[in-house]
Amino acid sequence: TGDAAWMSLRPTPPVPDYYQVLFYPPLEANGSTVACAGESVLVSDDEGTTWNEVPLRDGGLATAMTFASDARILVGRQDGRIFSIDRADDGTWDEARWIGRPRHAYLSDLLVQPGFERFWATYSAVGGEHVFASTDDGKKWEDMTSNLDDIPVNAIEADPQAPDRVWLATDLGVFQSTDAGANWSKFGQGLPQALAVDLVFHAELRLLRVGTRSRGVWEIDIT
Protein backbone atom coordinates (compact mmCIF):
# COMPACT_ATOMS: atom_id res chain seq x y z
CA THR A 1 0.00 0.00 0.00
CA GLY A 2 1.03 3.63 -0.33
CA ASP A 3 1.63 4.09 3.40
CA ALA A 4 3.78 0.96 3.84
CA ALA A 5 7.21 1.64 5.34
CA TRP A 6 10.52 -0.17 5.19
CA MET A 7 11.83 -1.59 8.43
CA SER A 8 15.52 -1.52 9.32
CA LEU A 9 17.07 -4.93 9.98
CA ARG A 10 20.38 -4.64 11.80
CA PRO A 11 21.42 -7.90 13.44
CA THR A 12 24.26 -6.14 15.23
CA PRO A 13 25.45 -7.53 18.56
CA PRO A 14 25.39 -5.12 21.53
CA VAL A 15 29.08 -4.43 22.13
CA PRO A 16 30.68 -1.41 23.86
CA ASP A 17 32.30 1.40 21.89
CA TYR A 18 35.77 0.21 22.88
CA TYR A 19 35.19 -3.31 21.55
CA GLN A 20 38.15 -4.37 19.35
CA VAL A 21 37.39 -5.77 15.91
CA LEU A 22 38.87 -5.83 12.40
CA PHE A 23 37.63 -3.30 9.84
CA TYR A 24 36.10 -6.26 7.98
CA PRO A 25 35.30 -8.67 10.82
CA PRO A 26 34.62 -12.39 10.28
CA LEU A 27 30.89 -13.03 9.82
CA GLU A 28 29.23 -16.39 9.14
CA ALA A 29 25.66 -17.72 9.04
CA ASN A 30 24.30 -21.25 9.29
CA GLY A 31 20.51 -21.34 9.07
CA SER A 32 19.18 -19.07 11.79
CA THR A 33 22.53 -19.04 13.60
CA VAL A 34 24.73 -16.01 13.01
CA ALA A 35 28.26 -15.53 14.33
CA CYS A 36 30.62 -12.58 14.17
CA ALA A 37 33.94 -12.11 15.88
CA GLY A 38 36.50 -9.61 17.09
CA GLU A 39 38.17 -9.83 20.49
CA SER A 40 35.49 -12.46 21.26
CA VAL A 41 32.93 -14.49 19.32
CA LEU A 42 29.31 -13.39 19.38
CA VAL A 43 26.70 -15.97 18.43
CA SER A 44 22.98 -15.57 17.84
CA ASP A 45 20.66 -18.54 17.34
CA ASP A 46 17.67 -16.37 16.41
CA GLU A 47 18.98 -14.34 13.43
CA GLY A 48 20.39 -11.55 15.56
CA THR A 49 17.62 -10.93 18.08
CA THR A 50 19.67 -12.13 21.07
CA TRP A 51 23.40 -12.78 21.38
CA ASN A 52 25.80 -14.85 23.45
CA GLU A 53 29.44 -13.84 23.84
CA VAL A 54 32.26 -16.40 23.95
CA PRO A 55 35.67 -14.95 25.00
CA LEU A 56 38.85 -15.89 23.14
CA ARG A 57 41.75 -16.73 25.44
CA ASP A 58 44.91 -14.67 25.77
CA GLY A 59 43.83 -11.66 23.71
CA GLY A 60 44.06 -10.99 19.98
CA LEU A 61 41.46 -10.44 17.26
CA ALA A 62 39.60 -13.02 15.21
CA THR A 63 40.49 -12.98 11.51
CA ALA A 64 38.59 -15.98 10.10
CA MET A 65 35.66 -18.18 11.03
CA THR A 66 33.57 -21.05 9.68
CA PHE A 67 30.84 -23.42 10.82
CA ALA A 68 32.25 -26.93 11.02
CA SER A 69 28.72 -28.20 11.76
CA ASP A 70 25.49 -27.03 13.34
CA ALA A 71 27.16 -27.53 16.72
CA ARG A 72 30.74 -26.35 16.11
CA ILE A 73 32.39 -23.09 15.05
CA LEU A 74 36.06 -22.77 14.15
CA VAL A 75 37.74 -19.40 14.70
CA GLY A 76 41.19 -18.25 13.55
CA ARG A 77 43.13 -15.36 15.04
CA GLN A 78 45.86 -12.85 14.15
CA ASP A 79 48.50 -14.94 15.91
CA GLY A 80 47.64 -18.03 13.85
CA ARG A 81 45.79 -19.90 16.59
CA ILE A 82 42.63 -21.85 15.83
CA PHE A 83 39.82 -22.28 18.36
CA SER A 84 36.80 -24.56 18.43
CA ILE A 85 33.53 -23.49 20.03
CA ASP A 86 31.01 -26.29 20.57
CA ARG A 87 27.33 -26.17 21.36
CA ALA A 88 26.54 -27.57 24.81
CA ASP A 89 23.75 -30.04 25.54
CA ASP A 90 21.54 -27.22 26.84
CA GLY A 91 21.84 -25.31 23.55
CA THR A 92 24.30 -22.66 24.76
CA TRP A 93 27.86 -22.35 23.47
CA ASP A 94 30.83 -23.64 25.46
CA GLU A 95 34.11 -21.84 26.08
CA ALA A 96 36.54 -21.50 23.19
CA ARG A 97 38.97 -24.42 23.05
CA TRP A 98 42.39 -23.96 21.44
CA ILE A 99 42.93 -26.81 18.97
CA GLY A 100 46.16 -25.78 17.25
CA ARG A 101 48.37 -23.23 15.56
CA PRO A 102 49.76 -24.45 12.22
CA ARG A 103 51.87 -21.29 11.96
CA HIS A 104 52.52 -18.16 14.03
CA ALA A 105 51.22 -15.67 11.44
CA TYR A 106 48.04 -13.94 10.25
CA LEU A 107 45.38 -16.60 9.61
CA SER A 108 43.30 -15.51 6.63
CA ASP A 109 40.68 -18.23 6.14
CA LEU A 110 39.31 -21.54 7.45
CA LEU A 111 37.45 -24.26 5.58
CA VAL A 112 35.83 -27.49 6.71
CA GLN A 113 34.90 -30.18 4.18
CA PRO A 114 31.86 -31.90 5.71
CA GLY A 115 31.88 -35.66 5.29
CA PHE A 116 35.55 -35.79 4.38
CA GLU A 117 37.05 -35.04 7.82
CA ARG A 118 39.37 -32.37 6.47
CA PHE A 119 40.07 -28.90 7.86
CA TRP A 120 41.99 -26.22 5.93
CA ALA A 121 43.74 -23.09 7.19
CA THR A 122 45.41 -20.38 5.07
CA TYR A 123 47.87 -17.64 5.92
CA SER A 124 48.45 -14.32 4.19
CA ALA A 125 51.88 -13.46 5.63
CA VAL A 126 54.68 -13.21 3.06
CA GLY A 127 57.41 -15.79 3.67
CA GLY A 128 56.86 -19.24 5.08
CA GLU A 129 53.99 -21.66 4.60
CA HIS A 130 50.57 -20.56 3.33
CA VAL A 131 48.26 -23.61 3.27
CA PHE A 132 47.69 -26.28 5.91
CA ALA A 133 45.33 -29.26 6.20
CA SER A 134 44.25 -31.43 9.11
CA THR A 135 42.46 -34.78 9.03
CA ASP A 136 42.14 -35.29 12.79
CA ASP A 137 39.96 -32.35 13.91
CA GLY A 138 42.89 -29.95 14.09
CA LYS A 139 45.21 -31.91 16.36
CA LYS A 140 47.91 -32.13 13.69
CA TRP A 141 48.38 -29.90 10.65
CA GLU A 142 50.28 -30.74 7.46
CA ASP A 143 51.90 -28.09 5.28
CA MET A 144 50.21 -28.24 1.85
CA THR A 145 51.88 -25.15 0.36
CA SER A 146 53.89 -27.42 -1.96
CA ASN A 147 54.85 -25.63 -5.21
CA LEU A 148 52.67 -22.57 -4.55
CA ASP A 149 54.51 -19.28 -5.02
CA ASP A 150 55.38 -17.24 -1.93
CA ILE A 151 52.25 -15.08 -2.15
CA PRO A 152 49.60 -14.14 0.40
CA VAL A 153 46.67 -16.57 0.40
CA ASN A 154 43.43 -14.81 1.31
CA ALA A 155 40.70 -17.44 0.97
CA ILE A 156 40.11 -21.12 0.27
CA GLU A 157 37.20 -23.10 -1.22
CA ALA A 158 36.64 -26.74 -2.21
CA ASP A 159 34.40 -28.72 -4.54
CA PRO A 160 31.96 -30.89 -2.54
CA GLN A 161 31.67 -33.31 -5.47
CA ALA A 162 35.43 -33.70 -5.80
CA PRO A 163 36.96 -33.23 -2.33
CA ASP A 164 40.54 -33.19 -3.59
CA ARG A 165 39.78 -30.17 -5.80
CA VAL A 166 40.61 -27.00 -3.89
CA TRP A 167 40.92 -23.34 -4.92
CA LEU A 168 42.88 -20.48 -3.37
CA ALA A 169 42.31 -16.74 -3.70
CA THR A 170 45.70 -15.03 -3.61
CA ASP A 171 47.31 -11.67 -4.30
CA LEU A 172 48.10 -13.03 -7.80
CA GLY A 173 44.72 -14.48 -8.72
CA VAL A 174 43.19 -17.93 -8.21
CA PHE A 175 45.13 -21.19 -7.91
CA GLN A 176 43.79 -24.74 -8.06
CA SER A 177 44.82 -28.14 -6.76
CA THR A 178 43.18 -31.37 -7.92
CA ASP A 179 45.15 -33.56 -5.51
CA ALA A 180 44.29 -32.04 -2.12
CA GLY A 181 47.17 -29.57 -2.10
CA ALA A 182 50.01 -31.75 -3.35
CA ASN A 183 50.32 -29.51 -6.43
CA TRP A 184 49.03 -26.05 -7.32
CA SER A 185 48.59 -24.24 -10.63
CA LYS A 186 47.11 -20.92 -11.81
CA PHE A 187 43.41 -21.34 -12.55
CA GLY A 188 41.31 -19.67 -15.22
CA GLN A 189 41.88 -16.69 -17.47
CA GLY A 190 40.56 -13.15 -17.72
CA LEU A 191 40.78 -11.92 -14.14
CA PRO A 192 41.95 -8.30 -13.79
CA GLN A 193 45.29 -7.47 -12.21
CA ALA A 194 43.84 -7.20 -8.71
CA LEU A 195 43.99 -9.00 -5.40
CA ALA A 196 41.66 -12.00 -5.17
CA VAL A 197 40.30 -11.77 -1.63
CA ASP A 198 37.35 -14.17 -1.31
CA LEU A 199 35.88 -17.30 -2.88
CA VAL A 200 32.38 -18.81 -2.91
CA PHE A 201 31.41 -21.98 -4.74
CA HIS A 202 27.77 -22.37 -5.84
CA ALA A 203 27.48 -26.16 -5.83
CA GLU A 204 24.10 -26.36 -7.59
CA LEU A 205 25.07 -24.08 -10.48
CA ARG A 206 28.70 -25.28 -10.49
CA LEU A 207 29.99 -21.72 -10.41
CA LEU A 208 33.11 -20.54 -8.61
CA ARG A 209 32.92 -16.85 -7.71
CA VAL A 210 35.87 -14.72 -6.68
CA GLY A 211 35.75 -11.30 -5.06
CA THR A 212 38.57 -8.94 -6.01
CA ARG A 213 39.88 -5.78 -4.38
CA SER A 214 38.17 -2.84 -6.14
CA ARG A 215 37.53 -4.79 -9.41
CA GLY A 216 34.25 -6.50 -8.64
CA VAL A 217 33.11 -10.13 -8.50
CA TRP A 218 33.91 -12.67 -11.21
CA GLU A 219 32.67 -16.21 -11.86
CA ILE A 220 33.75 -19.27 -13.82
CA ASP A 221 31.95 -22.51 -14.78
CA ILE A 222 33.33 -25.60 -13.08
CA THR A 223 32.99 -28.72 -15.17
Side-chain angles (χ1 to χ4, degrees):
T1 62
D3 58 355
W6 290 96
M7 295 180 62
S8 174
L9 296 176
R10 298 187 61 189
T12 304
V15 295
D17 292 338
Y18 53 82
Y19 184 82
Q20 297 293 309
V21 64
L22 294 181
F23 187 79
Y24 293 114
L27 173 66
E28 295 290 337
N30 180 45
S32 60
T33 303
V34 182
C36 56
E39 61 186 63
S40 61
V41 178
L42 299 123
V43 189
S44 171
D45 287 311
D46 51 18
E47 299 181 337
T49 301
T50 59
W51 293 87
N52 294 305
E53 184 173 12
V54 181
L56 292 176
R57 299 187 307 171
D58 307 323
L61 300 182
T63 57
M65 184 167 53
T66 190
F67 280 90
S69 67
D70 292 341
R72 174 172 292 182
I73 302 170
L74 297 186
V75 185
R77 213 166 56 179
Q78 287 173 313
D79 58 3
R81 296 187 184 191
I82 300 172
F83 295 85
S84 175
I85 302 173
D86 296 331
R87 190 188 294 275
D89 293 338
D90 62 1
T92 61
W93 293 90
D94 285 334
E95 295 182 356
R97 177 172 55 90
W98 179 25
I99 63 172
R101 178 161 59 183
R103 181 185 175 194
H104 194 159
Y106 191 100
L107 195 153
S108 55
D109 200 14
L110 291 166
L111 173 69
V112 174
Q113 292 182 271
F116 301 106
E117 307 303 325
R118 189 183 292 149
F119 294 175
W120 293 90
T122 62
Y123 290 81
S124 58
V126 175
E129 305 83 3
H130 297 284
V131 187
F132 291 86
S134 173
T135 56
D136 59 1
D137 289 333
K139 298 179 181 67
K140 296 180 181 179
W141 293 86
E142 182 179 359
D143 176 19
M144 305 305 297
T145 306
S146 186
N147 65 320
L148 186 70
D149 295 336
D150 183 15
I151 49 177
V153 175
N154 305 309
I156 185 168
E157 186 60 278
D159 186 344
Q161 294 185 17
D164 289 343
R165 191 176 193 179
V166 185
W167 300 281
L168 302 175
T170 79
D171 280 11
L172 293 179
V174 177
F175 285 75
Q176 175 182 255
S177 174
T178 57
D179 50 17
N183 297 278
W184 300 95
S185 59
K186 196 75 177 288
F187 182 67
Q189 299 178 356
L191 279 179
Q193 295 294 319
L195 277 64
V197 296
D198 203 4
L199 289 169
V200 175
F201 183 60
H202 194 299
E204 183 177 347
L205 298 179
R206 301 292 297 170
L207 289 174
L208 179 66
R209 291 173 174 145
V210 53
T212 67
R213 182 67 54 83
S214 305
R215 295 297 299 274
V217 179
W218 298 68
E219 64 182 26
I220 188 171
D221 290 317
I222 302 299
T223 56

